[in-house]
Amino acid sequence: MAISKYYTLPPIPEGLEGLAELGLDLRWSWSHKSDILWEQIDSELWEITRNPWLILQSVSETCLKALKEKKSFREELQKQVEQHNQYLKDTSWFSKTYGKSDLTIAYLSMEFGLSESLPIYSGGLGILAGDVLKTASDLGVPVVGVGLLYQQGYFRQVINSEGKQLEYYPYNDPSQLPILPVRDKDGQWLHVNVQFPGRVVKLRVWEARVGRVKLYLLDSNDPENGPADQCITAELYGGGNEMRLQQEMVLGIGGWKLLSVLGIKAQVCHLNEGHAALAVIERARMFAKESKLPFDVALEATKGGNVFTTHTPVAAGFDRFAPSLVYQYLKGYADRIDIGIEGLLDLGRENPGDNSEPLNMAYLAVRGSGVINAVSRLHGQVSRGIFANLFPRWPESEIPVTHVTNGVHVPSWDSETADKLWTNACGKDRWVGTLETIEPCLKKVPDETLWNFRNEGRKHLVEYARERLARQLEASGASDEKIFHARDILNPDVFTIGFARRFAEYKRPNLLIRDPERLKALLLNNERPVQIIIAGKAHPHDNRGKAMIAAWTNFIRQSNSRSHAVFLADYDMSLAEHLVQGVDLWINTPRRPWEASGTSGMKVLVNGGINLSELDGWWAEAYKPEVGWALGDRCEHGNDINYDACEANQLYRLLEEEIVPSFYDRNSKGIPVGWVSKIRSSMAELTPQFSSNRMLREYVEKLYLPSLSTFLDRVDNNAAKSISLCELKKTIQESFSKIHFGEVDFSSKDGQYYYKVPVFFEGINPDGIAVQLYADPVDGQEHEIYNMTRGEQINADKNGYFFKIELPAKRKISDYTPRVVPLFNSEVKPIETNQILWKK
């Protein structure tokens, strides 16, 4: 496919053409080498927007002609273009490690957070997706992103004079975004069509460049669509359930169609949450059509190449659609693909055949994928509990959900000062390799260097917060006096806390103001003052979240803490970047286990910030006393108000007795040695561990490459193995219930157990069945599973055999229970069938 010319730019003089090349590639959002160019073109617009593409659209021809005459500018531009081209050509980690590979990964996500200049994200899910694409570019992992281009995106927040949140939806003019239309070989704007009830919705295709990676975005705002259909991609997470289903049809069905139209043959399809689950259906439909195979065979063939990442810590968070709505929008589609609407619904139901049950998109993703993963170790445990109802009678520890703990794209979040410190300590290519040398190199940095670096970060944050608050007050119509005083708030030498996230009840954003007088005493302490910067949005329909924002703004106004506490409105990537680069302490207070992973605290690591967090998500893995502080007791307490009070007291106590004193406990050189020790350990040990470099390499090694192998195996020889697999599953489904046990015979001698049990298989071939002895885990250990050996046949009519085992008598014999499970390629795989039989 050819990309259109830069139709929105003024004529660029000869010799400056490289500006368009650099401005269109979102690599500038994490590689800041070219910042010097944009600052010279329009320093004020650059400071406000950080959008090179918009700067190029706004600049006058006169300015460009003047820049052409500046030798230093031309030389800098040439150097930046050469370095950019070299980056694109350099041998990457993936090519060094795997050489030429058949692997291509399609990464489908409802949102992508790449830069504030492309506002098609709302929060953590999108920021993670953006970090995945950036990391794929750095490591050379062959990923293609697919998402939606929203006309308005997520709402913009304003705090009014009463301290309340207001929502606004400014229009995203595509011509001002760093994207271009995709055109076909004839120069026509590429479209993808998706069938809706009684009509076809045309989707325009756009492309964003993310270094080596392409992100394709679908947009329904085409004049050939009706007014309602033009608004399908109007708002991210806007509208009701019907709008959500329409968007998920566009993403799942339209997204996979798009790859086909572009000629991209993705072997692995990665669903970033269940929003894109319909892609597994469209993928199977297309394979069935190409291979002239039934849909059920095509689904078995393609599911091996599908990876589903769940980010949801509670079952209520899954998208569900009423059968009537699914009938309205998908019946025609399902009828055309040899599955029927009830067959499609059943793939997304806990109880197939229950006509009243809605379509659950996470369940559809589970049944259509070969691999399911959660986003932290604890979230893996939680998710196995959430999906246990799809695998009845299976032990929770064997529910087929693994985990890959999230990480962040470090170069996107480090400050300029941090980048220099890390480069001096660990080299400029530290985040594009395998990270082994980072910890020992960083630990050699002297105390004084680390402390000066932290002071510099805090100073820049205070300067930014003052200016942003002044602009915020101007927008809300505040008096000149308030605006003037905004530029005097905060102190660059004072201990600074950052607290920024979505304002939702389970995140407990108001835990810190549960006792306002106690917090006020902390902030206004003359000897050891504290200051805090708060930011975050509440969902437009979440009145409780909005009330929490109002409570914070009221506290700031009424407690004489204006110079020590500030709420910065419209939490976006730019604000997040400045916060994580400057705060001394990052606080996170979710109710365990409702923070699936959380990544905001990871972003402070590279910048020398320290975490105080609930032992939930990633912090449950990362925490030890040398790297930060922890809230909670690693137990779940639900909505217990009394426990909230207990944790609030723990939060205050830690700040009063440990954290703040540690920051102000200085040696003769004015350095807080204990604090700096935590900085060093946190930076050196946790930054590489919770980087997206580690995360994406783990995805490649643990999930993508095995999925590629499974997919290629299943589609080989016109999907011969998939055909056999379908036949095997049908046999198991029809006959497994006929299997039964006889009476168990066991004895004990010389510290050994001797176990013998007859099993009658009736019409099933026992070669494809395992008989096992199982014991539940105890004392935090793994469960025990022993394969029993098939012995002599005992009843030919009933296809019966004795199964035997000898094992050490380390536990009570009553701890062990025989069970029968199907085998797939000699392995027990609950993801293939949920059948299991236990001896009663």
Side-chain angles (χ1 to χ4, degrees):
M1 292 297 164
I3 304 298
S4 65
K5 296 296 181 184
Y6 308 130
Y7 65 104
T8 61
L9 301 186
I12 297 180
E14 184 179 354
L16 301 187
E17 298 91 346
L19 286 171
E21 178 186 341
L22 294 175
L24 192 60
D25 190 335
L26 281 155
R27 184 170 176 253
W28 50 254
S29 68
W30 75 90
S31 176
H32 299 289
K33 296 175 182 177
S34 62
D35 289 4
I36 187 173
L37 298 173
W38 315 119
E39 288 170 351
Q40 289 187 63
I41 296 172
D42 191 330
S43 60
E44 184 176 349
L45 190 58
W46 171 247
E47 184 62 31
I48 294 172
T49 68
R50 296 282 163 163
N51 185 345
W53 195 242
L54 179 59
I55 288 173
L56 288 179
Q57 291 174 318
S58 306
V59 67
S60 67
E61 291 184 52
T62 303
C63 178
L64 288 174
K65 288 177 180 177
L67 289 170
K68 180 186 176 183
E69 300 304 316
K70 289 180 65 175
K71 181 181 178 183
S72 60
F73 185 87
R74 293 197 314 272
E75 290 176 346
E76 182 65 32
L77 173 59
Q78 182 179 353
K79 182 178 80 170
Q80 295 299 335
V81 170
E82 289 173 356
Q83 289 180 349
H84 180 256
N85 291 336
Q86 188 61 46
Y87 167 85
L88 297 177
K89 292 188 295 186
D90 276 347
T91 303
S92 67
W93 166 82
F94 185 85
S95 61
K96 283 179 187 174
T97 308
Y98 299 105
K100 290 186 177 180
S101 170
D102 294 327
L103 179 65
T104 300
I105 305 121
Y107 189 90
L108 279 67
S109 181
M110 196 73 136
E111 49 176 303
F112 286 89
L114 290 157
S115 163
E116 62 271 20
S117 66
L118 186 58
I120 55 171
Y121 63 92
S122 73
L125 183 75
I127 302 300
L128 175 79
D131 280 4
V132 166
L133 298 193
K134 294 173 182 179
T135 310
S137 174
D138 286 345
L139 299 182
V141 179
V143 172
V144 177
V146 179
L148 304 183
L149 178 65
Y150 300 98
Q151 290 99 283
Q152 296 172 331
Y154 202 53
F155 76 92
R156 306 298 299 273
Q157 180 194 58
V158 170
I159 302 297
N160 69 10
S161 58
E162 297 176 350
K164 296 179 179 178
Q165 171 180 292
L166 302 178
E167 300 94 27
Y168 294 92
Y169 295 86
Y171 176 64
N172 286 339
D173 182 355
S175 67
Q176 295 182 353
L177 305 178
I179 56 175
L180 285 178
V182 178
R183 300 191 180 274
D184 63 21
K185 61 183 179 181
D186 298 319
Q188 293 292 317
W189 196 340
L190 190 67
H191 286 76
V192 172
N193 296 335
V194 174
Q195 184 71 48
F196 272 55
R199 65 197 188 278
V200 171
V201 174
K202 293 190 68 173
L203 304 169
R204 304 186 297 190
V205 184
W206 302 81
E207 179 189 281
R209 298 176 184 172
V210 189
R212 295 181 174 107
V213 170
K214 301 285 181 66
L215 168 62
Y216 295 101
L217 300 168
L218 295 171
D219 159 29
S220 69
N221 191 24
D222 187 286
E224 292 190 43
N225 292 327
D229 290 339
Q230 289 181 37
C231 293
I232 291 173
T233 56
E235 295 177 25
L236 172 59
Y237 305 136
N241 238 23
E242 184 171 1
M243 176 69 77
R244 180 67 69 90
L245 178 58
Q246 291 175 341
Q247 289 183 341
E248 296 187 10
M249 289 174 64
V250 168
L251 178 62
I253 298 172
W256 196 262
K257 275 190 170 185
L258 168 62
L259 295 169
S260 177
V261 172
L262 292 169
I264 296 171
K265 296 188 179 299
Q267 299 82 21
V268 174
C269 174
H270 189 161
L271 309 175
N272 189 38
E273 253 308 339
H275 308 123
L278 287 169
V280 305
I281 304 298
E282 179 62 14
R283 183 181 192 184
R285 182 197 71 80
M286 294 181 72
F287 184 79
K289 183 178 179 181
E290 294 164 4
S291 307
K292 297 181 172 54
L293 291 167
F295 180 83
D296 60 344
V297 173
L299 184 60
E300 290 298 340
T302 55
K303 72 177 286 187
N306 296 333
V307 174
F308 167 46
T309 297
T310 175
H311 297 258
T312 308
V314 289
F318 296 142
D319 283 349
R320 293 175 172 82
F321 300 108
S324 58
L325 190 63
V326 179
Y327 263 82
Q328 177 185 347
Y329 277 92
L330 289 166
K331 185 177 187 306
Y333 174 79
D335 288 344
R336 288 191 297 274
I337 61 174
D338 187 32
I339 185 176
I341 191 62
E342 282 300 324
L344 191 153
L345 278 161
D346 281 350
L347 286 171
R349 284 171 167 161
E350 178 182 342
N351 302 296
D354 181 351
N355 295 339
S356 65
E357 195 176 325
L359 174 69
N360 183 311
M361 298 300 277
Y363 291 174
L364 175 59
V366 167
R367 291 203 175 101
S369 298
V371 176
I372 311 154
N373 77 280
V375 290
S376 71
R377 184 186 301 138
L378 178 58
H379 184 233
Q381 298 171 16
V382 171
S383 296
R384 285 187 284 276
I386 290 175
F387 291 119
N389 51 4
L390 297 184
F391 304 90
R393 300 175 303 281
W394 280 87
E396 194 168 291
S397 59
E398 292 185 88
I399 304 301
V401 179
T402 186
H403 78 274
V404 175
T405 301
N406 283 345
V408 298
H409 183 247
V410 177
S412 290
W413 302 103
D414 62 355
S415 67
E416 183 178 350
T417 312
D419 181 50
K420 289 177 181 176
L421 181 143
W422 282 85
T423 300
N424 290 336
C426 307
K428 65 183 180 66
D429 294 326
R430 60 194 173 277
W431 302 117
V432 296
T434 51
L435 311 180
E436 293 96 340
T437 62
I438 285 182
E439 181 178 338
C441 288
L442 201 283
K443 284 196 170 179
K444 295 176 183 176
V445 178
D447 284 4
E448 187 173 358
T449 302
L450 284 175
W451 184 236
N452 290 338
F453 147 69
R454 279 301 312 134
N455 288 335
E456 187 73 14
R458 192 184 319 105
K459 176 186 173 185
H460 285 312
L461 172 59
V462 168
E463 292 170 351
Y464 172 83
R466 289 170 173 173
E467 189 58 39
R468 181 154 180 147
L469 180 62
R471 293 201 307 267
Q472 177 179 319
L473 292 171
E474 287 172 357
S476 67
S479 67
D480 291 344
E481 183 182 5
K482 283 187 177 180
I483 296 169
F484 176 79
H485 285 304
R487 293 187 167 91
D488 288 327
I489 62 158
L490 307 179
N491 183 328
D493 297 320
V494 165
F495 176 63
T496 304
I497 296 172
F499 186 90
R501 56 201 16 88
R502 181 162 57 90
F503 271 63
E505 188 178 14
Y506 83 89
K507 289 182 178 285
R508 300 188 297 179
N510 287 18
L511 199 65
L512 198 53
I513 53 172
R514 191 176 180 91
D515 186 339
E517 290 304 313
R518 201 166 173 184
L519 177 58
K520 181 180 174 182
L522 265 168
L523 296 175
L524 303 181
N525 186 298
N526 289 326
E527 295 180 1
R528 299 184 306 209
V530 174
Q531 58 195 16
I532 183 168
I533 302 174
I534 308 105
K537 298 177 178 180
H539 189 279
H541 303 307
D542 183 1
N543 290 327
R544 298 187 77 167
K546 290 181 179 182
M548 292 175 183
I549 290 174
W552 263 110
T553 57
N554 288 336
F555 168 80
I556 293 168
R557 284 205 308 267
Q558 297 172 7
S559 64
N560 300 320
S561 302
R562 289 177 184 272
S563 61
H564 290 258
V566 59
F567 189 103
L568 295 180
D570 202 28
Y571 185 37
D572 61 6
M573 289 186 71
S574 176
L575 175 51
E577 183 180 319
H578 284 86
L579 282 173
V580 300
Q581 291 173 0
V583 298
D584 296 297
L585 184 76
W586 190 262
I587 292 181
N588 190 22
T589 55
R591 283 199 177 94
R592 177 183 164 116
W594 293 354
E595 184 90 299
S597 173
T599 56
S600 61
M602 299 177 189
K603 299 179 179 82
V604 305
L605 301 173
V606 68
N607 298 295
I610 299 176
N611 280 274
L612 163 59
S613 179
E614 183 73 28
L615 286 165
D616 195 8
W618 78 282
W619 193 239
E621 297 172 43
Y623 170 71
K624 59 182 181 178
E626 293 81 7
V627 298
W629 287 272
L631 284 173
D633 56 6
R634 296 190 184 270
C635 296
E636 285 75 56
H637 298 274
N639 294 321
D640 186 347
I641 296 175
N642 293 326
Y643 190 73
D644 284 356
C646 176
E647 284 209 345
N649 183 63
Q650 183 188 11
L651 178 59
Y652 293 128
R653 185 190 59 76
L654 284 169
L655 288 167
E656 294 163 346
E657 299 177 11
E658 297 183 31
I659 298 172
V660 177
S662 176
F663 179 86
Y664 285 107
D665 183 13
R666 311 291 170 87
N667 67 7
S668 59
K669 295 182 179 179
I671 298 172
V673 177
W675 187 268
V676 171
S677 176
K678 276 193 190 308
I679 290 175
R680 182 182 290 103
S681 295
S682 173
M683 291 180 74
E685 297 174 27
L686 301 187
T687 308
Q689 182 183 352
F690 294 98
S691 70
S692 56
N693 171 304
R694 184 275 311 157
M695 176 190 73
L696 190 57
R697 286 187 294 112
E698 201 170 329
Y699 269 112
V700 169
E701 292 157 3
K702 284 179 58 176
L703 306 188
Y704 293 159
L705 290 175
S707 295
L708 169 67
S709 178
T710 300
F711 171 73
L712 294 177
D713 185 53
R714 290 192 179 190
V715 300
D716 188 41
N717 193 21
N718 201 32
K721 287 191 176 180
S722 299
I723 293 170
S724 299
L725 185 59
C726 272
E727 292 172 351
L728 173 60
K729 287 187 177 183
K730 286 177 182 176
T731 300
I732 291 171
Q733 191 68 30
E734 293 167 357
S735 305
F736 196 82
S737 61
K738 298 176 184 177
I739 300 175
H740 58 279
F741 288 97
E743 290 301 315
V744 173
D745 179 22
F746 61 84
S747 60
S748 175
K749 184 180 179 182
D750 298 330
Q752 293 289 107
Y753 288 140
Y754 298 88
Y755 212 101
K756 182 178 180 181
V757 61
V759 181
F760 303 94
F761 294 93
E762 301 291 345
I764 291 185
N765 183 349
D767 291 343
I769 300 292
V771 179
Q772 299 176 326
L773 209 56
Y774 174 90
D776 284 321
V778 291
D779 300 327
Q781 301 299 312
E782 292 285 315
H783 55 237
E784 295 181 35
I785 299 175
Y786 301 96
N787 287 313
M788 303 183 74
T789 302
R790 189 169 72 190
E792 67 271 21
Q793 190 170 27
I794 53 174
N795 188 326
D797 291 339
K798 293 186 177 182
N799 200 18
Y801 293 86
F802 277 118
F803 285 79
K804 305 174 184 179
I805 192 170
E806 175 185 344
L807 69 157
K810 295 179 180 179
R811 299 175 59 173
K812 294 183 297 185
I813 190 67
S814 58
D815 286 353
Y816 297 95
T817 305
R819 69 182 193 179
V820 174
V821 290
L823 290 175
F824 296 87
N825 291 330
S826 302
E827 295 182 39
V828 176
K829 295 183 178 179
I831 194 71
E832 300 296 349
T833 178
N834 63 8
Q835 298 287 352
I836 188 169
L837 174 68
W838 296 89
K839 176 74 173 75
K840 295 181 180 179

